[in-house]
Amino acid sequence: MAELRLMKGNEAIAEAAIRCGCDGYFGYPITPQSEVLETLMARKPWEETGMVVLQAESEIAAINMVYGGAGCGKKVMTSSSSPGISLKQEGITYIAGAELPCLIVNVVRGGPGLGTIQPAQSDYFQAVKGGGHGDYKLIVLAPASVQEMYDYVDLGFELAFKYRNPVMILSDGIIGQMMEKVQIGPYKPRMTDEEIVAKYGSWATTGKTPNRQRNIITSLDLDPNRQEQFNLKLQCKYKEIEEKEVRFEKIACDDAEYLLVAYGSSSRICQKVVDLAREKEIKVGLLRPITLFPYPTKAIQAMLGHLKGILAVEMSTGQMVEDVRLAVEGKVAVEHYGRMGGAIPTPQDVLKALEEKIIKG
Amino acid sequence: MTEEIIIAGFGGQGVLSMGKTLAYSGIMQDQEVAWMPSYGPEMRGGTANVTVILSDSRISSPILQEFDTAIILNQQSLDKFEKMVKPGGTLIYDPNGITRHPQRTDINIYWVEATEEAARMKNAKTFNMIVLGAFLKVKPIVKLENVKKGLEKSLPQRHHHLIPMNQEAIGRGMEIVKKVN
């Protein structure tokens, strides 16, 4: 039977990892996501499901442990916050280049550099446009509630294995630290090597069997032709992901004249803005991207006919707004409103910006 | 029904756990709840506050600029949050240590002398439950039986023997709260 619990977003990540049959978590503590590792250590899943939980000596070690575990076909993950995710970028691009599944959670804090421990959304470019080197993409999920923090761990692993691609949950200090009601699901058993082969194919280095070629996990190929072919193959995969995996939510969009576009915690703030605006009889809707890659470009384009203006709201100097502008192609005015460095806009701040930048502008 | 509450005071006063008890009580009566703490390089003696929202429908922003109720437990928090109570809203505060009292006339202001009462009960740890009782008297948004269920759910088994004491403190808070304007 489903169980309801009051949990922090970070705790929900940990609980979901145990229950979705994760084989291993490798991490290093950093505010505001330390409760992920703390919860896992307190829960001792190695006694319950056999899941490994390891505090590595650094973020770089942790992501390379993930690389190793993923190469063996295991369901493995790491989590960190912005500066720690920067340290992991080399490992992430190697994992993408080796076409391995894994889950990476970024509970974003303000930057650049060590920045602040307060929430921000200034890692959008890093998550969506690369981060590490090379032409690769992560599938990026943006939870806006603690329930979604829980749900997207399982979803993230499903997508990671389906596409043999790293998946990132891009959260922030608000969702990580906030407590909400969470419906806890039943335990899914950890998969055996045989089950992984049956479901996702034989690519992992689990020991060569006589009737197949050796599996090799690498991101290195010095032959330009083969490397180009490999890049084209990756691009085909990303294209398929763009066609099949776009997720978003529309709130009060049917009659909207003005549109807010916001993800994660900003979308929660914007839900209130919609209510405040509608009280003033301003027809405002909200489009909330759930996947940041693939981005809900077509969903925005489909609404342009009845929109007078769009405000992208993010806790950054304006990153996601670029993807909104690419979707809109100049057909409607697009402005950005954001706070940064750990400052959080209130719904009233956003409404004021909407009125000043879009409605009067 | 949606009730947006800020609880603010010193770290160590039980601000966050009072909010948690309230949130758990909301879950026990099938409500949506959100509990959003201020977090930062804070420690015992520093300021601590938490936004708690209980609602019959989906909760939008956990980040708020105005509140239905402010529960205020020190001077810094009073100075910061008095102006953020919605007109017609509620402010409940413990006058202990307060030198500049609330000034607004467009909100309902209540006293709960919880610090004194906790001393009388010879248990400083009951302080936050006395304050919670005061709130529940003024705003009975959760049933007392659901508060009990919430405590049972949120406290580990080894602390369950403390639940009657907490209930008693809630009862005391309900008795001593008084309107001051």
Side-chain angles (χ1 to χ4, degrees), chain A residues 61-360:
Chain A
I63 191 68
N64 284 295
M65 289 172 185
V66 168
Y67 187 11
C72 299
K74 298 295 178 191
K75 220 170 173 178
V76 287
M77 67 181 288
T78 186
S79 68
S80 190
S81 179
S82 309
I85 295 290
S86 290
L87 285 167
K88 291 179 197 289
Q89 290 304 327
E90 181 194 46
I92 293 171
T93 176
Y94 278 52
I95 292 168
E99 289 205 270
L100 294 177
C102 72
L103 182 66
I104 304 148
V105 182
N106 184 359
V107 183
V108 179
R109 59 189 249 181
L114 273 179
T116 170
I117 61 174
Q118 299 296 326
Q121 295 180 307
S122 43
D123 296 356
Y124 179 89
F125 282 154
Q126 187 194 48
V128 173
K129 310 285 179 188
H133 60 276
D135 279 324
Y136 77 92
K137 294 278 187 192
L138 304 177
I139 298 171
V140 183
L141 301 168
S145 66
V146 178
Q147 182 71 54
E148 289 183 350
M149 288 284 257
Y150 184 90
D151 294 340
Y152 292 176
V153 171
D154 191 34
L155 173 64
F157 274 124
E158 290 291 329
L159 293 171
F161 274 85
K162 184 174 173 189
Y163 293 100
R164 279 181 63 190
N165 204 71
V167 171
M168 178 173 278
I169 293 180
L170 190 69
S171 177
D172 65 59
I174 293 175
I175 309 288
Q177 294 294 324
M178 177 169 61
M179 282 197 184
E180 291 187 306
K181 183 165 80 175
V182 181
Q183 191 161 349
I184 303 286
Y187 282 84
K188 277 166 72 170
R190 289 171 53 223
M191 295 211 300
T192 62
D193 288 348
E194 292 73 28
E195 284 166 343
I196 289 184
V197 170
K199 195 167 174 192
Y200 301 108
S202 167
W203 47 264
T205 49
T206 51
K208 184 183 170 311
T209 50
N211 53 357
R212 67 160 166 83
Q213 286 270 306
R214 197 179 298 279
N215 288 336
I216 299 171
I217 303 293
T218 181
S219 63
L220 177 73
D221 193 334
L222 296 175
D223 180 282
N225 290 328
R226 284 203 305 267
Q227 188 59 262
E228 186 178 45
Q229 287 308 312
F230 174 68
N231 266 276
L232 290 170
K233 181 184 157 211
L234 280 185
Q235 293 306 314
C236 282
K237 175 166 83 174
Y238 302 147
K239 186 109 187 118
E240 186 188 348
I241 293 169
E242 285 185 295
E243 279 160 14
K244 292 185 182 163
E245 305 298 346
V246 174
R247 288 169 167 79
F248 59 89
E249 183 187 10
K250 282 158 74 169
I251 293 173
C253 284
D254 287 348
D255 66 339
E257 292 176 357
Y258 303 98
L259 183 68
L260 298 166
V261 184
Y263 69 93
S265 53
S266 284
S267 74
R268 294 287 296 268
I269 295 165
C270 286
Q271 280 175 44
K272 187 105 185 168
V273 180
V274 170
D275 294 342
L276 294 174
R278 297 253 165 194
E279 279 169 25
K280 296 172 84 172
E281 295 184 352
I282 308 170
K283 289 181 179 170
V284 177
L286 167 65
L287 186 132
R288 169 172 87 93
I290 293 171
T291 49
L292 300 178
F293 177 82
Y295 197 75
T297 305
K298 287 179 185 158
I300 294 176
Q301 287 169 343
M303 293 172 66
L304 292 178
H306 57 91
L307 290 180
K308 294 181 182 166
I310 300 176
L311 186 69
V313 181
E314 354 162 29
M315 292 189 290
S316 74
T317 50
Q319 299 190 11
M320 184 197 68
V321 66
E322 292 191 3
D323 283 334
V324 180
R325 290 200 172 112
L326 282 172
V328 170
E329 294 178 314
K331 292 182 183 119
V332 170
V334 178
E335 294 290 339
H336 165 262
Y337 175 72
R339 299 290 304 275
M340 57 223 74
I344 306 167
T346 66
Q348 285 80 1
D349 294 337
V350 178
L351 181 59
K352 189 159 168 271
L354 178 72
E355 288 177 323
E356 284 173 3
K357 290 183 174 217
I358 297 289
I359 297 174
K360 285 176 202 154

